[in-house]
């Protein structure tokens, strides 16, 4: 990171830590209509204009370690095969045979030389080409070259796999451009998935997502788990184009919660900024991570309906696989479950309050400004002309983004 940017960042963190009044020049944030968190029409618009047209993080290259390795991505009634081809390229295909639509893959993950339909045994290569058809002479006009698997846009960013159902979408590199300079001195490319934890929760995806986008709750909810490691009053927010952001929080004593007191797990070649601060990156529309030299949790929040979602946690660590490392990550997984449980128990009660009309508006502090910013981006994606009456929010934070 540029030294001047780094110096300004440290000064901003210190200024925030000392701040006692509402920040001068920053607008008061209007309330969010609570109906955005349960209304079926608004949910349908999110699916159509956001989740079906935006780059979504669906896994990591380390989960596809060799040619033929595959995994299924199955969210919001879609089934997608993620596969590493013989050319080492990771691709995404609709999990449907080009004959009569049967699912090609029924296991959540595995290794295959070809994808063979379990219905009539049509065979497809790892690159999606139709290679074999039993009794092909019975098809009058079959041209195998015209029947490849339906491919989904699939690109990677520092090992993370993204897909986009919109074939006309801009490249992933453009979409994530604002985040690149935030990790240019973090060796994220050297990390692999250590553990995965999926949790289904009775709430809207935003109800859960919002929790991880502010630090206001940490001293109360995580008084004995996270709070001892973080100077929560130093929490600063930088808003970026496209609904992304960066959070910076000073660590107390430079310790990492992820290390659980064993900071020898941190590689030696890390720049100081990652050792004494937590850098968190919310990635529109539904991903969040807080980078740490020991490792970190990449979270995604998947809608399953207006009042149900799945929170997926990918725990990222270094390329090491021995008994000590496995024991470390097993302990870390249990620690993370403890912290997540402190949050998750609240979400259904919040959702009930929204859904039953006990609270009609969601009030936000300046520390919660990113909640407003990504909701602005949702509205921009949906389009003002498509938003239901009473659901739109004023577009006010554009002048406050970082370039």
């Amino acid at each position: 990171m540029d030294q001047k940017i780094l110096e300004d960042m440290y000064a901003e963190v210190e200024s925030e830590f000392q701040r006692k009044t509402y920040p001068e020049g920053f607008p008061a944030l209007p309330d969010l209509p609570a109906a955005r968190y349960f209304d079926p029409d608004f949910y349908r618009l999110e699916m159509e204009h956001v989740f079906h047209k935006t780059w979504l993080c669906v896994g990591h290259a380390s989960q596809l370690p060799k040619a033929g390795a595959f995994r299924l991505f199955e969210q919001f009634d879609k089934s997608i095969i993620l596969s590493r081809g013989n050319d080492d390229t990771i691709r995404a295909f609709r999990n449907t045979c080009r004959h009569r639509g049967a699912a090609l893959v029924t296991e959540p993950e595995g290794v295959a030389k070809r994808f063979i339909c379990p219905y009539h045994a049509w065979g497809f290569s790892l690159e999606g080409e139709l290679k074999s058809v039993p009794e092909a002479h019975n098809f009058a006009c079959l041209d195998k070259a015209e029947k490849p698997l339906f491919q989904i846009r699939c690109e990677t960013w520092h090992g993370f796999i993204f897909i986009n159902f919109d074939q006309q979408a801009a490249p992933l590199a453009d979409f994530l451009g604002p985040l690149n300079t935030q990790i240019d001195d973090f060796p994220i490319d050297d990390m692999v998935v250590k553990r995965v934890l999926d949790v289904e929760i009775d709430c809207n995806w935003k109800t859960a997502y919002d929790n991880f986008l502010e630090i206001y709750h940490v001293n109360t909810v995580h008084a004995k788990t996270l709070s001892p490691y973080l100077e929560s009053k130093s929490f600063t927010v930088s808003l970026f184009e496209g609904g992304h952001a960066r959070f910076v929080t000073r660590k107390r004593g430079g310790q990492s919660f992820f290390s659980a007191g064993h900071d020898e797990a941190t590689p030696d070649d890390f720049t100081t900024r990652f050792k004494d601060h937590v850098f968190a990156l919310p990635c529109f529309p539904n991903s969040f991570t807080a980078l740490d030299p020991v490792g970190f949790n990449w979270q995604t929040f998947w809608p399953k309906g207006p009042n149900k979602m799945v929170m997926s946690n990918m725990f990222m660590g270094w390329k090491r696989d021995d008994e000590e490392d496995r024991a470390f990550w097993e302990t870390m997984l249990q620690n993370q479950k403890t912290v997540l449980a402190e949050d998750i128990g609240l979400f259904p009660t919040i959702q009930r309050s929204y859904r039953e009309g006990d609270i009609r508006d969601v009030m936000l502090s300046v520390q919660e400004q990113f909640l407003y910013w990504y909701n602005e981006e949702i509205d921009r994606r949906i389009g003002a002309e498509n938003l239901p009456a009473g659901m739109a929010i004023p577009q006010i934070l554009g002048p406050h983004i970082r370039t």
Side-chain angles (χ1 to χ4, degrees):
M1 177 174 279
D2 180 83
Q3 186 61 32
K4 177 65 166 60
I5 295 176
L6 193 59
E7 291 173 359
D8 290 345
M9 182 205 73
Y10 280 127
E12 185 178 355
V13 168
E14 178 60 25
S15 175
E16 182 65 20
F17 184 70
Q18 300 295 335
R19 181 175 62 83
K20 304 296 183 185
T21 59
Y22 197 84
E24 184 177 352
F26 194 83
L29 296 173
D31 293 348
L32 297 174
R36 295 170 67 98
Y37 290 81
F38 65 85
D39 181 79
D41 290 333
F42 192 80
Y43 175 82
R44 177 184 56 79
L45 290 168
E46 288 179 330
M47 293 299 99
E48 178 182 353
H49 296 280
V50 178
F51 284 92
H52 291 170
K53 295 182 179 180
T54 306
W55 287 102
L56 306 171
C57 183
V58 296
H60 191 268
S62 65
Q63 295 173 299
L64 303 171
K66 61 182 179 180
F70 68 84
R71 294 178 62 85
L72 281 182
F73 167 77
E74 295 189 300
Q75 297 293 349
F76 35 85
D77 295 326
K78 295 187 181 296
S79 182
I80 305 298
I81 303 170
L82 306 173
S83 171
R84 188 183 291 273
N86 288 313
D87 58 358
D88 206 38
T89 299
I90 295 175
R91 296 177 176 85
F93 305 105
R94 294 187 185 274
N95 185 20
T96 183
C97 180
R98 291 300 306 275
H99 177 209
R100 285 169 56 189
L104 291 171
V105 173
T106 57
E107 297 295 324
E109 61 183 345
V111 178
K113 294 181 179 179
R114 281 189 181 184
F115 298 119
I116 306 298
C117 178
Y119 197 8
H120 297 98
W122 282 32
F124 297 83
S125 72
L126 300 177
E127 291 70 43
E129 300 169 327
L130 177 57
K131 290 295 189 180
S132 59
V133 176
E135 303 179 36
H137 63 279
N138 288 323
F139 293 88
C141 302
L142 175 63
D143 182 349
K144 291 198 290 288
E146 294 181 352
K147 294 291 183 180
L149 295 180
F150 290 117
Q151 194 162 339
I152 305 297
R153 291 280 300 279
C154 181
E155 299 177 22
T156 60
W157 182 76
H158 297 285
F160 291 90
I161 303 169
F162 286 75
I163 63 172
N164 196 321
F165 296 102
D166 181 5
Q167 295 297 323
Q168 307 305 315
L172 176 64
D174 293 349
F175 174 68
L176 294 178
L179 301 183
N180 281 324
T181 57
Q182 305 305 315
I183 61 167
D184 54 9
D185 54 344
F186 191 104
I188 195 170
D189 300 78
D190 297 331
M191 307 195 86
V192 297
V193 176
K194 293 293 187 177
R195 298 287 188 277
V196 174
L197 174 66
D198 290 342
V199 185
E200 186 172 289
I201 310 171
D202 291 327
C203 68
N204 186 269
W205 70 275
K206 298 188 298 298
T207 302
Y209 189 39
D210 288 357
N211 177 81
F212 299 89
L213 305 178
E214 48 91 354
I215 206 168
Y216 188 35
H217 74 284
V218 167
N219 287 341
T220 304
V221 178
H222 307 297
K224 295 182 179 180
T225 50
L226 286 182
S227 182
Y229 294 92
L230 299 171
E231 293 282 9
S232 61
K233 290 184 179 180
S234 70
F235 178 77
T236 63
V237 180
S238 299
L239 305 176
F240 296 141
E241 191 74 37
H244 311 304
R246 180 197 71 199
F247 305 156
V248 182
T249 308
R250 184 187 297 160
K251 295 180 183 178
R252 286 181 174 166
Q255 274 199 329
S256 163
F257 167 75
F258 249 83
S259 71
H262 299 289
D263 287 293
E264 67 273 11
T266 303
D268 295 330
D269 56 351
F270 261 90
T271 54
T272 302
R273 73 178 180 113
F274 291 109
K275 293 182 178 181
D276 56 22
H277 290 75
V278 174
F279 285 76
L281 300 176
C283 173
F284 188 84
N286 66 329
S287 291
F288 172 82
T289 194
L291 299 175
D292 191 281
V294 176
F296 56 85
N297 181 8
W298 183 287
Q299 297 177 289
T300 46
F301 299 79
W302 299 111
K304 288 185 73 69
N307 296 286
K308 190 177 288 292
M309 57 82 63
V310 170
M311 179 175 63
S312 180
N313 303 273
M314 276 195 309
F315 297 101
M316 308 299 301
W318 303 104
K319 294 177 180 178
R320 176 184 169 189
D321 187 19
D322 53 43
E323 185 175 342
E324 182 181 3
D325 182 65
R326 288 190 291 272
F328 172 82
W329 281 100
E330 200 54 43
T331 299
M332 183 48 60
L333 178 61
Q334 298 309 314
N335 290 345
Q336 287 285 310
K337 285 181 176 180
T338 297
V339 175
L340 291 172
E342 293 172 342
D343 291 314
I344 291 171
L346 295 167
F347 301 162
T349 69
I350 298 170
Q351 189 66 26
R352 181 189 62 216
S353 294
Y354 294 160
R355 186 182 64 247
E356 299 303 318
D358 297 334
I359 179 173
R360 298 185 182 277
D361 301 292
V362 181
M363 187 176 186
L364 301 175
S365 72
V366 68
Q367 281 199 330
E368 298 160 307
Q369 62 183 273
F370 181 72
L371 279 66
Y372 196 91
W373 178 238
Y374 90 84
N375 272 278
E376 278 195 23
E377 184 67 17
I378 288 174
D379 284 10
R380 288 190 286 272
R381 300 293 180 116
I382 293 174
E385 68 281 6
N386 297 317
L387 289 164
M391 294 285 191
I393 61 173
Q395 300 277 320
I396 62 172
L397 290 183
H400 298 273
I401 66 172
R402 303 293 179 93
T403 56

